[in-house]
């Protein structure tokens, strides 16, 4: 039988395959690690940019009032809706300063190996608006006042400040038992309603046009913020909803079928009051305010047109109150980053 | 076996061995090039990840840029963010004790009494930060009994701070290009106090170039006016590698990144 004569070629080829395969495996492992590291860095960069975008978007919708309701005490925190890819938490630090934290949702499964977490924080505080009010009632068109109208620009706060005009409009006709007081009682000038746009974006309650009957709602001894007809409680100091001052924006025509409310009421269309209504705060109506039932406003009222049906205005009481307006402005104040060192990258502490 | 057969076998063996050796040499060369490229990219990746993260949080207008040049930058770098969890009553000037909540403490490390200074947000609406030295670090419970850390500090004014007040810890650190006395290569180093540690490298002799831009994107030499920092890093492979044409040499890659400082005072 002949002896097999294979020589050294097979051994060399096998050796080459083994060594070459080992090197190839090593390079593949290194390349995969390299790719993962690059993906993590890329993810971190995207996370940073995305977190800044999400933070800016959230910031645009935050007001001091929302925080007062959601995080009333130091160290209270509230999760904010930030989409499916992000988590956001707002945390009260001091009565004035809050911390907004934004982080991406970490992926699960295989993708988590490439994840790099970026958590950003912003130190925020409310920035009070500076507005100049000229009259308790401001109307863009001519106004005719008759029986049952009492308008006062005198400050009704317990420590009254300086008053404002009673009514500002291009022309004012007072008849019957209508009373107008203020400094001066009547200010004949053209007024604008730019406050609507300023506060419209900060609305905490956005409603479609329609008919509403409003009043405070409670759950036990707490104010229930869920019903859209709960516009706070202006008549009961110490009541559960007395501290709730929403910024209500109605997109369209609205008829109020009686009730109470407080805060800032913005009506994008016409307002019609059909049953007794009490409101403490600022009522700004882009269209006509049609007062057909007793209406008691403590604060200011501004509208493009003011009437009662087709006749002169009646059954309207407006009493200017600087402290109520100040409180409204305080609650509706937007949050903005601290002037210095507001941006923080929140690395997880070791 | 005849002599002719032996010669043929030897020639065939030589041809096969040469081919295998050539393949192996290419494999090794490719492997070396890959590893070197990965090392180089890792260097640049460190530069891309680390330096911007350090620079973003600066408030140049408030003195966070201590010194700056084309190849070196000394900054007051944020290290810790925390929140007081005990009231610090007003009336104390000088030595005082602050307690930071463990749950709301973030940072790349804990507070270091040897190197850190603190900035404490003043009460009131002017967004002023009060500097304070740290003399000691220990453990102490918060007002609600949860764990916290105790900081011995020196307060410059008798201001009070309610629980919840934000506190930021900083250390002064220098990043600079330097040549190692050990291997003669250039590195980008991190210097805390007197100790200089290589952060990344090797880089080229011009491996770190920093340009400082103001709010109009013009180059400025005034540290308080810096709004953007242009960072350029050039890193070669540590060893020569063959390029696609077969030439042996060090391949240089570069990184350019423009960092906007996020914390400059807003008007």
């Amino acid at each position: 039988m002949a002896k097999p004569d294979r020589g050294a070629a097979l051994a060399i080829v096998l050796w080459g395959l083994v060594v070459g395969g080992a090197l190839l495996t090593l390079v593949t492992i290194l390349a995969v690690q390299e790719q993962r590291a690059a993906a993590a860095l890329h993810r971190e960069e995207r996370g940073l940019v995305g977190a800044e975008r999400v933070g800016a978007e959230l910031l645009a919708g935050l007001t001091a009032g929302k925080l007062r309701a959601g995080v009333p005490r130091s160290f209270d925190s509230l999760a904010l809706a930030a989409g499916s890819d992000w988590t956001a938490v707002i945390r009260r630090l001091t009565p004035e300063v809050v911390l907004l934290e934004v982080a991406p949702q970490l992926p699960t499964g295989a993708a988590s190996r490439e994840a790099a977490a970026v958590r950003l924080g912003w130190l925020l505080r409310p920035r009070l608006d500076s507005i100049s009010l000229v009259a308790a009632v401001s109307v863009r068109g001519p106004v005719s006042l008759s029986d049952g109208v009492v308008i006062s620009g005198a400050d009704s706060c317990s420590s009254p400040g300086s008053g404002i005009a009673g009514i500002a409009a291009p022309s004012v006709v007072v008849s019957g038992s209508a009373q107008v007081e203020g400094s001066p009682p009547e200010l004949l000038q053209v007024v604008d309603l730019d406050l609507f746009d300023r506060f419209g974006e900060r609305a905490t309650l956005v409603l479609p046009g329609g008919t509403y009957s409003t009043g405070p709602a409670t759950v036990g001894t707490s104010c229930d913020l869920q019903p859209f007809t709960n516009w706070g409680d202006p008549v009961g100091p110490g009541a559960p909803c007395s501290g709730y001052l929403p910024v209500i924006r109605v997109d369209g025509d609205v008829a109020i079928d009686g009730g109470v409310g407080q805060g800032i009421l913005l009506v994008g269309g016409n307002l019609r009051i059909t049953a007794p209504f009490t409101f403490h705060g600022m009522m700004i109506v882009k269209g006509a305010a049609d007062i057909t039932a007793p209406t008691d406003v403590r604060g200011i009222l501004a509208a493009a047109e003011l009437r009662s049906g087709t006749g002169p205005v009646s059954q309207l009481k407006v009493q200017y109150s600087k402290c109520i307006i100040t409180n409204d402005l305080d609650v509706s104040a937007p949050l903005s980053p601290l002037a210095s060192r507001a941006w923080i990258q929140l690395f997880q502490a070791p | 076996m005849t002599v002719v057969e032996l010669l043929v076998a030897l020639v065939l063996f030589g041809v096969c061995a040469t081919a295998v050796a050539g393949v192996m040499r290419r494999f090794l060369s490719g492997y070396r090039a890959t590893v070197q490229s990965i090392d180089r990219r890792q260097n640049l990746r460190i530069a891309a990840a680390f330096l911007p993260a350090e620079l973003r949080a600066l408030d140049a207008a408030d003195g966070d840029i201590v010194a700056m040049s084309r190849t070196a930058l000394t900054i007051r770098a944020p290290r810790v963010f925390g929140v007081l969890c005990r009231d610090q009553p007003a009336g104390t000037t000088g030595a005082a004790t602050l307690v930071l909540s463990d749950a709301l403490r973030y940072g790349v490390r804990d507070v270091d009494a040897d190197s850190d200074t603190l900035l404490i947000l003043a009460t009131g609406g002017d967004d002023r930060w009060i500097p304070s030295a740290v003399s000691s670090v220990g453990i102490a419970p918060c007002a609600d009994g949860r764990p916290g850390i105790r900081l011995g500090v020196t307060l410059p004014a008798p201001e009070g701070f309610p629980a919840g007040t934000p506190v930021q810890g900083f250390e002064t650190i220098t990043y600079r290009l330097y040549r190692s006395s050990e291997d003669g290569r250039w590195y980008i180093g991190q210097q805390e106090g007197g100790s200089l540690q290589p952060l990344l490298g090797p880089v080229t002799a011009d491996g770190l170039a920093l340009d400082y831009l103001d709010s109009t994107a013009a180059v400025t030499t005034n540290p308080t006016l810096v709004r953007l920092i242009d960072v350029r890093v050039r890193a070669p492979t540590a060893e020569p590698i063959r390029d696609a044409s077969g030439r042996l040499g060090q391949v240089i890659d570069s990184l350019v990144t423009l960092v906007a400082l996020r914390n400059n005072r807003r008007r």
Side-chain angles (χ1 to χ4, degrees), chain A residues 114-142:
Chain A
E114 298 171 2
V118 175
R119 177 178 285 266
L120 291 186
W122 289 265
L123 292 169
L124 312 171
R125 74 160 75 240
R127 300 284 173 203
L128 288 182
D129 284 287
S130 171
I131 63 170
S132 175
L133 298 173
V134 295
V137 175
S138 301
V139 187
R140 189 180 285 164

Side-chain angles (χ1 to χ4, degrees), chain A residues 252-326:
Chain A
D253 294 344
V254 60
I256 295 180
D257 194 20
V260 297
Q262 61 181 358
I264 300 176
L265 173 61
L266 307 164
V267 179
N270 298 317
L271 165 70
R272 187 157 179 258
I273 293 176
T274 57
F277 181 60
T278 299
F279 192 85
H280 287 191
M282 297 196 285
M283 283 175 64
I284 302 164
V285 184
K286 273 194 132 175
D290 184 3
I291 311 296
T292 60
T295 302
D296 188 353
V297 177
R298 188 159 291 196
I300 62 140
L301 167 65
E305 191 184 336
L306 185 60
R307 55 182 158 79
S308 290
T310 54
V313 181
S314 61
Q315 307 181 82
L316 173 66
K317 290 181 182 174
V318 180
Q319 171 68 60
Y320 171 65
S321 169
K322 188 175 183 182
C323 43
I324 286 177
I325 300 294
T326 303

